[in-house]
Amino acid sequence: MSDVLLQLNNLHTHFLTDKEEVPAVNGIDLSVHKGEIVGIVGESGSGKSVTSLSVMKLVPSPPGKIVEGEINFKGENLVKVSEKRMRDIRGNEIAMIFQDPMTSLDPLYTIGNQLVEGIRLHKKTLKKEAYNQSIDLLKQVGIPRADEVVDEYPHQLSGGMRQRVMIAMAMSCEPELLIADEPTTALDVTIQAQILDLMIQLNKKKNTAILLITHDLGVVSEVCDRVVVMYSGQLVEEGTKREVLKDPQHPYSQGLIRSLPNIKERDQKLYSIPGTVKQPKLGEVGCKFAPRCEFAFDRCFKENPELYSLGDSGRKSRCFLHDNKEGDVAKDAATTLRS
Ligand SMILES: Nc1ncnc2c1ncn2[C@@H]1O[C@H](COP(=O)(O)OP(=O)(O)OP(=O)(O)O)[C@@H](O)[C@H]1O
Ligand code: SF4
Ligand SMILES: [Mg+2]
């Protein structure tokens, strides 16, 4: 499609330690269209952050390395571009916000200094003018006393305020893509909603595409258009928010949805998927979810399932149950067992 902004093709990012090579991102295909909000969900260790850091070329190296694949952003393969070009893209065309804003804010400079620098990097503006624009931006993201905060240092602000500053910075350079890695995880619920709302506004007003990484399906249902589910370095399901949340097809996504608290049934016992995400291993055979899957059958331990397309709408699921009669039999048996 012509309005694709970001396209990952068969991306592999590995960590090479003394003992082993960990395929943290193991063949990801993913697209983000202009103005679209795509959520990446999955448990801790599934490779969400490494995927987003790969796009920004910020994977710590060593030990990390993009070993295969392409990251196409507006027709340019970021895997191949120079660090100089990448510095230009970061902040100008792709902005990133993290769970802990202190990762990106410089403790030695005032909020104003950092915003002014961002604004002037993007547009030739006089310092004074950029300073006034900074105050405007701080007001736009709902920071009270913006004309004082502009001269304060990051440590003088609360976590929620720092995250607002990060969004103001992202707004200042008007990127086409914002990557937000667990931007609201450290915040309390009310502030969380306000920050998500700011991101939605940024998307609506400036048509900024957002790649939102979260382990919180509630956040996905508030914000995203499309969702991809990751498990052990691979994409296991993809679809619109409605499809994935209302009718998950992959057993792992089904487990994630089942573990959501249902407000209608307050006294229910919360479901949790048994076991934990395994550290991915090179050359491993079989479905990565098999040890935890209630539908697993023989083939699941012997072969790697491909990503099956379900219809032509871009819906996908990596599970043998979409394949053959053997899968149908196993699914029926497991459903009977469960009911
Ligand atoms: N610097 C590193 N050195 C070695 N291995 C790493 C490094 N960073 C990540 N990994 C490995 O890569 C895998 C994916 O990690 P990643 O941080 O992407 O997970 P995540 O899905 O973002 O989890 P979380 O929800 O906890 O943030 C993990 O197995 C992790 O151990
Ligand atoms: S391929 Fe097998 S183990 Fe993997 S999710 Fe499907 S049924 Fe479960
Ligand atoms: Mg992470």
Side-chain angles (χ1 to χ4, degrees), residues 38-92:
V38 178
I40 304 186
V41 293
E43 283 164 293
S44 190
S46 55
K48 306 180 298 292
S49 294
V50 177
T51 302
S52 61
L53 289 172
S54 301
V55 174
M56 293 299 266
K57 300 274 288 285
L58 289 175
V59 174
S61 176
K65 193 170 190 291
I66 297 176
V67 292
E68 199 180 332
E70 289 177 354
I71 302 169
N72 290 313
F73 178 69
K74 296 200 294 175
E76 215 173 350
N77 180 4
L78 302 187
V79 174
K80 303 274 181 217
V81 304
S82 66
E83 179 51 30
K84 183 168 175 286
R85 173 74 187 122
M86 228 23 244
R87 272 201 296 272
D88 199 34
I89 291 171
R90 280 185 221 120
N92 262 320

Side-chain angles (χ1 to χ4, degrees), residues 250-252 287-291 293-297 299-301 305 318-321:
H250 192 280
Y252 175 61
C287 169
K288 296 190 183 311
F289 189 56
C293 181
E294 60 185 318
F295 300 115
F297 54 106
R299 188 180 177 192
C300 307
F301 296 92
R318 188 185 293 281
C319 174
F320 288 130
L321 296 180

Side-chain angles (χ1 to χ4, degrees), residues 17 51 67 76 116 147 160 174 194 199 244 247 252 285 312:
T17 63
T51 302
V67 292
E76 215 173 350
V116 164
D147 38 5
E174 298 186 14
Q194 292 167 359
M199 288 176 37
V244 177
D247 181 27
Y252 175 61
V285 176
D312 346 300

